[in-house]
């Protein structure tokens, strides 16, 4: 049950990360589409060539800065998620180790108790055998004396 819960947690986190990545991809696509649209709009605008080139250059620089900021943000988010996942895994590993150690201790105690019970049973069986042998000898003596 513990391992199932741990696996479900990891899978849920992966699904959340996948959805966030898809949303970021859509945002990036919209940004690039807007930039392309702006460039096309500028190319067909009734302005001088120099003005149009300046606007294209300005928009290209804005888009470049915007993309750099988005890349840095994505890198930071990815790094943060990696650290969170690493810490979650460390916690899960530590919990698993504790469960394993507790189980080992329980099994060792059970084995020790079973060994002790077996020894006591052997002793009781030996005592019973000796009592039966003594009783048999006593009966034989009584039958011989008759």
């Amino acid at each position: 049950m513990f391992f199932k819960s741990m696996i479900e947690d990891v899978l849920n986190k992966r699904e959340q990360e996948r959805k966030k990545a898809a949303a970021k991809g859509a945002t990036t696509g919209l940004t690039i589409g807007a930039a392309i649209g702006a460039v096309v709009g500028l190319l067909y605008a009734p302005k001088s060539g120099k003005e149009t080139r300046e606007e294209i250059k300005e928009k290209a620089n804005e888009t470049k800065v915007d993309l750099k900021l988005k890349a840095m943000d994505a890198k930071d988010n990815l790094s943060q998620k990696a650290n969170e996942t690493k810490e979650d895994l460390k916690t899960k590993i530590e919990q698993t180790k504790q469960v394993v150690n507790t189980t080992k201790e329980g099994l060792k105690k059970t084995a020790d108790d079973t060994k002790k019970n077996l020894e006591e049973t052997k002793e009781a069986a030996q005592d019973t055998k000796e009592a039966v042998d003594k009783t048999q000898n006593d009966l034989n003596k009584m039958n011989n004396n008759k």
Side-chain angles (χ1 to χ4, degrees), residues 1-127:
M1 195 63 160
F2 171 75
F3 293 109
K4 181 179 179 183
S5 169
M6 185 171 70
I7 291 169
E8 286 174 353
D9 288 347
V10 171
L11 291 176
N12 286 338
K13 284 187 180 188
R14 284 185 181 170
E15 181 63 18
Q16 289 173 351
E17 290 173 10
R18 187 194 61 76
K19 287 179 181 178
K20 285 181 183 179
K24 285 181 183 180
T27 302
T28 302
L30 287 173
T31 302
I32 291 171
I36 291 171
V39 168
V40 169
L42 289 174
L43 290 174
Y44 288 100
K47 295 182 182 178
S48 71
K50 184 176 183 178
E51 288 176 15
T52 302
R53 285 189 297 276
E54 279 298 315
E55 283 189 39
I56 290 173
K57 184 178 178 182
E58 186 178 309
K59 288 293 182 183
N61 284 334
E62 287 176 12
T63 302
K64 180 180 172 183
V65 168
D66 188 42
L67 289 176
K68 279 186 180 181
L69 290 174
K70 287 187 184 301
M72 287 177 11
D73 186 42
K75 179 184 172 191
D76 290 343
N77 286 337
L78 182 61
S79 181
Q80 179 183 356
K81 289 295 178 189
N83 287 334
E84 288 173 5
T85 302
K86 180 179 176 183
E87 290 304 314
D88 286 348
L89 286 175
K90 280 183 181 179
T91 300
K92 298 293 183 188
I93 288 170
E94 192 56 41
Q95 290 172 346
T96 303
K97 284 180 181 179
Q98 289 174 356
V99 168
V100 167
N101 287 335
T102 301
T103 303
K104 278 171 129 181
E105 290 169 6
L107 289 173
K108 184 176 181 337
K109 183 179 181 332
T110 301
D112 290 344
D113 290 348
T114 302
K115 184 178 178 181
K116 180 181 174 187
N117 289 339
L118 181 60
E119 289 171 3
E120 289 173 357
T121 302
K122 282 182 180 179
E123 288 175 11
Q126 183 63 34
D127 291 345

